[in-house]
Structure formats: C-alpha cells, structure tokens
Amino acid sequence: MENSKRITQSNRDEMNMQRIVVLRWGHRVQRDARLTTHVALTARALGASGFLLSDTMDETIRATVEKVTGSWGGEFFFEMGTSWKSSVRDWKTKSGIVVHLTAYGENIQTSNVLDRIRNLEKDVLLIVGSQKVPKEFFSSEVSDFNVSIGNQPHSECAALAVFLDRFFEGKELVKGFGNAKIRIIPQERGKKTIVNR
Amino acid sequence: MENSKRITQSNRDEMNMQRIVVLRWGHRVQRDARLTTHVALTARALGASGFLLSDTMDETIRATVEKVTGSWGGEFFFEMGTSWKSSVRDWKTKSGIVVHLTAYGENIQTSNVLDRIRNLEKDVLLIVGSQKVPKEFFSSEVSDFNVSIGNQPHSECAALAVFLDRFFEGKELVKGFGNAKIRIIPQERGKKTIVNR
C-alpha cells in the first residue's frame, strides 16, 4: 500500500487535478488476462496514477504493465492481492472518495454526477468490475457514486476510457511520461518513434 | 454487404450526424474472442451503426452481439468474413471515408484531425486493429486519416470508446434503442430495469 498511500497524501502531477486510482475487481486469472491487461494499460495511458488488482494475484499482468511503464515512462504503480474491502476502507480513511463504474448508475451524460465528483476535490478510487459485482458495491458504505457510461451493456475497458477522458478533459492525452525509453511522434502517415536505450 | 450499403446510402438517425461503421481487423478466433466482443459491444453502445469482423468468421461473437441487440434494442448490424480490402474498396466507392485508429496517428487532442473528419460530412469506416496491422493501413490508398487516442500503448477497445464519445459529442449516450426488451433506468444506488418480454 506504500504507493497508493503516497498518492492520496498527494503530490499532484502536471494535470493539477484530483488523482484517480483504478481498482479492478473480479479478475479471473487466465480467462481475464488480456482484458485486465487492457484495462490496466488504459488506466495508465489515460491519466490514472495506479492500478489495484484486487483479491487475487496475477504475475503475468504485473509483468506486462511494469514492462510497458519501464519502456514508455511515467510513474504508474501496480499492486495486487489486497482485498477490495481493505482497499476501500484504507482509501476512505485517507479521505478519498469511491466511484463505481456500472451500467446501472447515473448516466455521465444526462446527470451532473461528474460535476459532483469534481466539486469534492478529492482523490478517486475508481472501481471497475468484470463479472457480476457484489451488491454492496452499490451501497453508500462502499461507493460514493455509481456512474454509467450510457446504460447499455458494453465493456469495462470502454467505460473506464470514457470516464477518464471526460474527468481529465482530454489533458491526459497530452501529458508527458517521464523517463520514457520510447516515444511516439504523432504523424499523419506511418510510424515514427524516438528510442533512448 | 446489404446492411452496410443501406448505411452509406444514408437514412440518418436521431443523432443527425455522419454514420460510423467499425471494421475489426486481425481477430484471432478463440484468443481474441472476449476482446473483440467488447469492441463490438462498445461500437453498438457508443453510437456506431454496425460492425464488420474482417477476414474471418466467428459464430460465437456473432451470436453474442446479436443476442445483445435482440434484448437491448437498436438496429446495429453485424457482418463477418469479408476481406478488409474489399470492404474498404466498397466503402470508398460509395464515397465514405476511412479512419484508422492507431497509437502512431495524429493525436485527437493536440491536432485538429477530428474537425477535419467532421467537416467532410461523410460516413466513416473506422478501422480498429488488434495484432500488428499491415503497413498499407497507414497509406492514403486505405486510410484518409490515422488517428491516435494519446500516443501511448493501451487498448483498441478504449481507443474506440474515446473516439466515438468525442465524435458524437456524448449524444450517443442518450440515444434510444428501439424495440428493446430490457432497459436500465439509471439510479444513484442499486439496479433498476424495465423488462418487456
């Protein structure tokens, strides 16, 4: 918990905003490997500070995420094996708020839920489920907000991406990743990278 | 190709905008099943008109997507087995444009690429790769635009979601899905659905 502690105690990054840490619940080793890897890489690329793989261990995912961070830079942290209950309790003790992404929650487009989250000016633990989540996730003991990215079934990876993009208002797509060994230079055509080994 | 033909010939929906059809390239049966399903459901939920699984057949994915559309409504179409080359050729013949989502392309946040796509007022075939894509995808013979959602490695599912959300400016999250048997009523807490069987 060292890293996530550091985050809520706050040393704000260049986006000068609330921090978000993603908690992935319900990961099944092997079966969910690729999807959870996509969720973790989306979290990193779109501005989250770190990723908690809750209630289970998966060295393959840890290795992939740490390899990407090692090559592409930034300070994204990865932790696994802590129960969601103790992560949530710990987060709340440090005055963070908890947001649960679910198709059943308040629609991010038609409600003012995003403004209410922002106005609290607190760091966010963002719960991203996979299989059917425990009923408790919806309760005020766990989640301060239940947020839907549309009210249709789709993908936790897609929901996370839209939430982060809206929360950070696109700033996450231009922020720099320090100590990168490889960097893409965007182009109209072809691929251009700068590699520092 | 019956459905996609109907789309570019245009009967615009309530969003009154350009239509988007997603072409998924590089799907590997079994290995990519869940990820491609997520990509297809994201396309449907976030406003695309249909989905082309190119160069391969996968009945499992077709069944899942059609089951979701059957229950949750809307007119999303699913086609598979056509080669990407003939889909692209066909699309261009009907005056559609092709956009390729890639981490190497013009950054959607720092460039004006989205405006340039919108200003053409043409229907969009959106290519979403998975494994390493053929070099040709970057060329003007195939793609009119190469667009990146940030220039970090993450997920095609996340990239698709952000692209659609920005392209449709959030309107996709409130549009109705006709003939739905099941509908979610968004709530601050708990789950509420209306079921018409």
Side-chain angles (χ1 to χ4, degrees), chain A residues 108-120:
Chain A
I108 198 168
Q109 179 69 17
T110 58
S111 76
N112 64 356
V113 68
L114 192 57
D115 293 333
R116 279 148 53 217
I117 293 169
R118 279 223 201 82
N119 291 343
L120 291 175

Side-chain angles (χ1 to χ4, degrees), chain A residues 32 34 38 110 155 166 174, chain B residues 32 34 38 110 155 165 174:
Chain A
D32 292 332
R34 295 190 62 221
H38 278 235
T110 58
S155 165
R166 289 185 175 217
V174 292
Chain B
D32 292 332
R34 296 190 59 222
H38 279 235
T110 57
S155 164
D165 188 46
V174 293

Side-chain angles (χ1 to χ4, degrees), chain A residues 31-32 34-35 38 44 104-105 107 110 138 143 146 152 155-156 165-166 173-174 186-189, chain B residues 31-32 34-35 38 44 104-105 107 110 138 143 146 152 155 165-166 173-174 186-189:
Chain A
R31 182 170 150 78
D32 292 332
R34 295 190 62 221
L35 213 46
H38 278 235
R44 175 187 169 277
Y104 295 92
N107 189 316
T110 58
F138 292 90
S143 301
N146 292 284
Q152 294 287 319
S155 165
E156 59 268 30
D165 188 45
R166 289 185 175 217
L173 299 181
V174 292
Q187 301 283 310
E188 286 188 29
R189 308 240 163 248
Chain B
R31 182 169 151 79
D32 292 332
R34 296 190 59 222
L35 212 47
H38 279 235
R44 175 187 169 277
Y104 296 91
N107 190 315
T110 57
F138 291 90
S143 301
N146 291 285
Q152 293 287 318
S155 164
D165 188 46
R166 290 186 174 215
L173 298 181
V174 293
Q187 303 281 310
E188 285 188 30
R189 308 243 162 246

Side-chain angles (χ1 to χ4, degrees), chain A residues 12-17 46-48 168 171-173 175:
Chain A
R12 311 276 163 185
D13 70 2
E14 71 259 45
M15 292 195 283
N16 193 28
M17 290 189 70
L46 300 192
F168 293 125
K171 294 187 193 85
E172 80 285 357
L173 299 181
K175 82 167 190 164

Side-chain angles (χ1 to χ4, degrees), chain B residues 61-153:
Chain B
I61 292 176
R62 186 223 287 266
T64 305
V65 173
E66 292 185 346
K67 192 175 161 201
V68 168
T69 301
S71 298
W72 295 83
E75 302 205 330
F76 191 72
F77 70 82
F78 180 95
E79 292 172 10
M80 60 186 180
T82 306
S83 77
W84 69 266
K85 275 195 187 169
S86 78
S87 293
V88 165
R89 195 186 317 120
D90 193 47
W91 193 263
K92 296 201 169 196
T93 308
K94 292 177 284 174
S95 304
I97 58 169
V98 177
V99 173
H100 174 213
L101 282 181
T102 163
Y104 296 91
E106 294 183 80
N107 190 315
I108 198 168
Q109 179 69 17
T110 57
S111 76
N112 63 357
V113 68
L114 192 57
D115 293 333
R116 279 147 52 216
I117 293 169
R118 279 223 200 82
N119 290 344
L120 292 174
E121 299 185 353
K122 291 185 171 174
D123 290 333
V124 174
L125 183 66
L126 187 58
I127 300 182
V128 175
S130 62
Q131 331 147 30
K132 242 179 199 262
V133 303
K135 208 174 161 191
E136 302 157 85
F137 280 15
F138 291 90
S139 76
S140 57
E141 282 75 50
V142 175
S143 301
D144 298 287
F145 301 95
N146 291 285
V147 178
S148 73
I149 309 300
N151 299 105
Q152 293 287 318

Side-chain angles (χ1 to χ4, degrees), chain A residues 57-188:
Chain A
M57 308 282 273
D58 193 327
E59 286 297 341
T60 315
I61 292 176
R62 186 223 288 264
T64 305
V65 174
E66 292 185 346
K67 193 176 161 200
V68 168
T69 301
S71 297
W72 295 82
E75 302 206 329
F76 192 72
F77 70 83
F78 180 95
E79 294 173 8
M80 60 186 179
T82 306
S83 77
W84 69 266
K85 276 196 186 165
S86 76
S87 294
V88 165
R89 195 187 315 122
D90 192 47
W91 193 263
K92 295 202 170 195
T93 308
K94 293 176 285 175
S95 303
I97 57 169
V98 177
V99 173
H100 174 213
L101 282 181
T102 163
Y104 295 92
E106 295 183 79
N107 189 316
I108 198 168
Q109 179 69 17
T110 58
S111 76
N112 64 356
V113 68
L114 192 57
D115 293 333
R116 279 148 53 217
I117 293 169
R118 279 223 201 82
N119 291 343
L120 291 175
E121 298 185 354
K122 292 185 170 175
D123 290 334
V124 174
L125 183 67
L126 188 58
I127 300 182
V128 175
S130 61
Q131 331 147 30
K132 242 179 200 261
V133 303
K135 209 176 161 189
E136 302 157 84
F137 280 15
F138 292 90
S139 75
S140 57
E141 283 74 50
V142 175
S143 301
D144 298 287
F145 301 95
N146 292 284
V147 177
S148 73
I149 309 301
N151 298 105
Q152 294 287 319
H154 54 100
S155 165
E156 59 268 30
C157 188
L160 173 64
V162 171
F163 185 89
L164 293 174
D165 188 45
R166 289 185 175 217
F167 188 86
F168 293 125
E169 298 176 305
K171 294 187 193 85
E172 80 285 357
L173 299 181
V174 292
K175 82 167 190 164
F177 286 78
N179 296 316
K181 292 185 189 128
I182 179 163
R183 227 157 32 91
I184 289 172
I185 310 299
Q187 301 283 310
E188 286 188 29

